[in-house]
Each structure stands twice: as structure tokens, then as C-alpha cells.
Amino acid sequence: MSLYFPLRAVPPPALRNSATWLERLFGDASDTARHRADRHREDVPDKRYLDQELLYAGDPPHRAEHRPQAQVVLGGRPVFHPDRYKPPFLVLTAGQAQRVARFLTMADFDALWAFARDELLPRYGGVTAEPDTRGVFAAAHRELTEFYTRTAARGDAVVKWLPT
């Protein structure tokens, strides 16, 4: 599994419902699709993105598509890749991105941490490592909140992809 999981803000008029276009959006080369979508609006959660999913949505996988907390990390409408062995792209509309931004802005990180800590701590060194582990998750929470807040303020959609 890849450790690279980018989230990109895309202006709704530029967004295409095409797996080929979305793949170019995430391509390493600076191509037309990324230029049109303003490639500088991006967040890349670290390799803990599955645990961040647990922090927000509870036990993955989830299917509560209308709950913004379930859309923070792995939520979104799938756009399937033509190669069935590659994961789908996940798309949040501008409205969904705004709801996620509101949720993150109002979320109590301490409450989120309290809910998930017993499951997360054993993976990261146990209770003795809690201050460091909590700090890493708190920093990721701040980064996601900033990304979604900027994205919502611009009225943009969000596209996610976990390339193989």
C-alpha cells in the first residue's frame, strides 16, 4: 500500500468526471490538468491516514456518506479507474467540502482523541508514547482543518487518490 495519499482542491468548473483527467491531476509532471486546478492547493496526510480515518469516522470502512466526519479522510463519491486494480478517485463536492470544514472547525480534538486513543495508542508505543502520538494526530488535525477551511472559503471541491 502506498504511503502517499494526496487531497487536492479543485475549482468546480475545472473538475472533470473522468478517471483519465483525475489521474493527470495527480501526475508528477506539471501538466495542463494540474495547472488548471491550481496544484498548490493540496494536503498530503502522512502514512497514518487510516488511523486518522479512525479518529474521525470510527471503525473503517464507513458508509455514512452524509456525515461530514466520515468524509474527512477517505470519504467521497468514487470515480473508478479504468484499471480495476487501481483504487478509485474520491470526490467531494464544494458543498460537502464546506460541511467537512465546518465539522473540523467545530470539532473538539480532545473528544475525538478520547474516543480513539485506546485503539490508537498500542500501535504507536502505548501509554508512555501518548504525548508524542497525540501531538502528531493533533498536528494532522490542524493541517486538515486548514486545508478544508481554505478549500471551503474558495468554494472548491476536493479530489483524493491513493495511488498504488
Side-chain angles (χ1 to χ4, degrees):
M1 181 183 305
S2 172
L3 300 180
Y4 178 67
F5 180 58
L7 289 73
R8 292 240 165 88
V10 179
L15 188 62
R16 302 288 176 266
N17 193 27
S18 157
T20 303
W21 187 88
L22 292 169
E23 189 167 35
R24 281 197 314 264
L25 177 69
F26 287 97
D28 288 335
S30 177
D31 61 21
T32 306
R34 287 180 77 181
H35 177 69
R36 271 185 283 170
D38 189 2
R39 62 178 254 179
H40 301 289
R41 293 180 287 148
E42 174 179 76
D43 187 38
V44 182
D46 66 19
K47 63 184 178 184
R48 297 172 187 89
Y49 61 86
L50 290 175
D51 288 335
Q52 290 168 351
E53 171 75 0
L54 174 68
L55 188 71
Y56 296 111
D59 293 327
H62 57 80
R63 293 291 174 243
E65 294 299 322
H66 299 297
R67 295 176 35 218
Q69 61 268 34
Q71 296 176 331
V72 175
V73 180
L74 295 178
R77 176 183 54 81
V79 175
F80 293 98
H81 197 281
D83 179 345
R84 67 183 183 149
Y85 296 106
K86 290 188 177 183
F89 299 92
L90 301 171
V91 178
L92 293 179
T93 66
Q96 290 169 320
Q98 288 174 350
R99 286 189 292 278
V100 170
R102 259 191 317 272
F103 163 76
L104 288 170
T105 302
M106 295 171 33
D108 177 358
F109 179 78
D110 291 331
L112 293 169
W113 178 253
F115 176 77
R117 77 177 284 283
D118 290 343
E119 190 166 342
L120 293 175
L121 283 179
R123 300 177 199 171
Y124 296 96
V127 175
T128 58
E130 183 169 5
D132 292 336
T133 304
R134 185 187 182 288
V136 168
F137 279 89
H141 174 74
R142 285 189 300 274
E143 290 172 11
L144 284 167
T145 301
E146 290 170 11
F147 169 76
Y148 276 107
T149 301
R150 281 191 319 267
T151 300
R154 294 179 87 156
D156 288 343
V158 173
V159 180
K160 310 167 190 180
W161 191 35
L162 178 63
T164 54

